[in-house]
Amino acid sequence: MSGGIRDQPEEIPQPTPRRIFQERQRITGLPLYFQGYLSVRHSRCQEFRVYWTELRGTMLFFYDDKKAPTYSQKLDISALTSATNVCPEENGSAQFILMLLDGELELKANDCECGKEWKGFILTVTKMSVPPDESLLPEQLTRMHEVLEKEKKRRTMVKNCSSTSMTRSSSPSSTLTTMPVCFYAVSRQQATEMLEKNPSCGNLILRPGSESKNYAITIRHKLDFKHYKVVSKGTSYIIELERRVTLPSLQDVVNYFVTQTQGHLEPFVIQTGAAEDPVFRKHAGC
């Protein structure tokens, strides 16, 4: 080999922080309020596991790696009932517990100050007020007040979208019928295009079926689209699956698909052409 210069192994290009942020924003559809490393243990688990964690809206998203664009787990903390004090440990870390309706979540931060900051931001977005913690620094309190204002605006937008959608009906001849807010009078192709062009705004649409009085569900699953027939029979609705499912209302139909995927719904505004319409966002299961 001439010149005494050895060939260097070719490095695999890594995504830039900006690209990672944009991808996470696209996938979650929620504003980022706070982030950092946390050790996490569910009440049913025995060991802590370290995650790069993001607080977006009232959701915690857990990533296996700081540069991973897709979360591995998520948790809705909107139903937080309380949180314990931040307790320092011998190794310098600090632990606190979130009390949720369906169990507890134990969290460990790198140090006591970081733990108090995490707890402060979590209480801010779940209780809609900045906690009166004298140990928090002025700049930390300022950031929490800024996050509080952002969360208020986000919730106002969600509420307005939901209120507008709840007045929509399936047709002009049935104005007294309340439809789920994820209902759109669109075709299969239009539903697919809506979900494809607005990936951060939802992946479930309830739409009219090919036959009168029937409906259909279109779901975006990863890179594929699935369509399900919903038959109206008397006062019930039948989902045409391998094993038929009968439910009493269209909202129960929507709830069924959410439950089966361990997701949850949250309305967002998306562009569907000339106007903006609200649609439910369904988060994929953990």
Side-chain angles (χ1 to χ4, degrees):
M1 179 167 51
S2 62
I5 300 177
R6 300 182 60 186
D7 292 336
Q8 296 295 322
E10 189 173 324
E11 294 185 0
I12 301 175
Q14 297 295 321
T16 64
R18 181 176 178 82
R19 283 189 60 189
I20 295 172
F21 174 82
Q22 290 174 339
E23 184 65 9
R24 289 176 179 175
Q25 186 74 38
R26 182 187 71 79
I27 293 173
T28 64
L30 291 167
L32 175 62
Y33 292 151
F34 195 63
Q35 61 183 339
Y37 283 108
L38 278 178
S39 295
V40 181
R41 180 169 69 180
H42 294 275
S43 54
R44 62 182 181 274
C45 301
Q46 295 183 350
E47 296 183 357
F48 280 92
R49 182 174 176 181
V50 180
Y51 292 100
W52 178 260
T53 308
E54 292 184 340
L55 174 63
R56 291 178 176 271
T58 55
M59 298 286 295
L60 288 174
F61 292 92
F62 303 107
Y63 299 84
D64 292 330
D65 184 83
K66 186 176 181 179
K67 295 183 178 181
T70 306
Y71 61 88
S72 59
Q73 293 189 49
K74 63 178 176 57
L75 179 68
D76 185 351
I77 57 172
S78 59
L80 177 73
T81 58
S82 62
T84 64
N85 292 329
V86 178
C87 300
E89 299 190 326
E90 293 182 357
N91 61 358
S93 63
Q95 180 177 350
F96 64 102
I97 302 174
L98 301 182
M99 308 294 186
L100 304 166
L101 290 178
D102 57 351
E104 299 178 356
L105 184 71
E106 297 179 66
L107 301 174
K108 279 187 182 181
N110 291 334
D111 53 53
C112 200
E113 181 180 349
C114 185
K116 290 181 178 180
E117 197 169 14
W118 266 109
K119 179 184 174 183
F121 277 102
I122 288 172
L123 290 177
T124 296
V125 298
T126 55
K127 303 302 181 183
M128 293 306 288
S129 64
V130 177
D133 190 340
E134 296 180 357
S135 65
L136 292 172
L137 299 175
E139 54 266 30
Q140 292 174 328
L141 291 171
T142 298
R143 288 168 56 202
M144 289 176 193
H145 279 289
E146 292 173 349
V147 163
L148 178 60
E149 291 306 311
K150 291 179 181 179
E151 181 63 10
K152 285 181 179 178
K153 291 180 181 179
R154 186 186 75 86
R155 294 194 185 192
T156 298
M157 183 191 73
V158 169
K159 183 179 180 181
N160 291 340
C161 292
S162 181
S163 297
T164 302
S165 294
M166 290 302 290
T167 62
R168 298 170 66 184
S169 60
S170 59
S171 67
S173 61
S174 57
T175 56
L176 296 179
T177 302
T178 301
M179 299 295 292
V181 299
C182 55
F183 174 78
Y184 281 89
V186 295
S187 65
R188 172 189 286 210
Q189 182 178 350
Q190 289 172 324
T192 301
E193 290 176 354
M194 286 172 64
L195 295 174
E196 187 174 28
K197 294 179 180 179
N198 302 277
S200 66
C201 299
N203 60 358
L204 183 152
I205 287 179
L206 173 68
R207 56 184 176 80
S210 57
E211 300 174 6
S212 176
K213 295 184 179 181
N214 291 339
Y215 297 88
I217 289 278
T218 296
I219 294 177
R220 186 188 71 248
H221 180 66
K222 296 182 179 179
L223 299 178
D224 196 12
F225 293 90
K226 297 183 181 296
H227 309 276
Y228 300 92
K229 187 176 181 179
V230 181
V231 178
S232 175
K233 188 173 183 180
T235 59
S236 302
Y237 295 88
I238 300 172
I239 306 175
E240 293 287 357
L241 300 173
E242 185 175 342
R243 184 177 181 180
R244 286 188 172 187
V245 176
T246 303
L247 297 165
S249 71
L250 286 174
Q251 186 60 58
D252 288 315
V253 170
V254 172
N255 293 342
Y256 172 83
F257 282 102
V258 175
T259 301
Q260 291 302 304
T261 56
Q262 300 179 13
H264 93 262
L265 295 174
E266 188 169 343
F268 278 81
V269 173
I270 65 173
Q271 290 285 349
T272 60
E276 290 185 347
D277 286 308
V279 68
F280 271 128
R281 170 172 176 76
K282 180 172 71 65
H283 294 275
C286 297

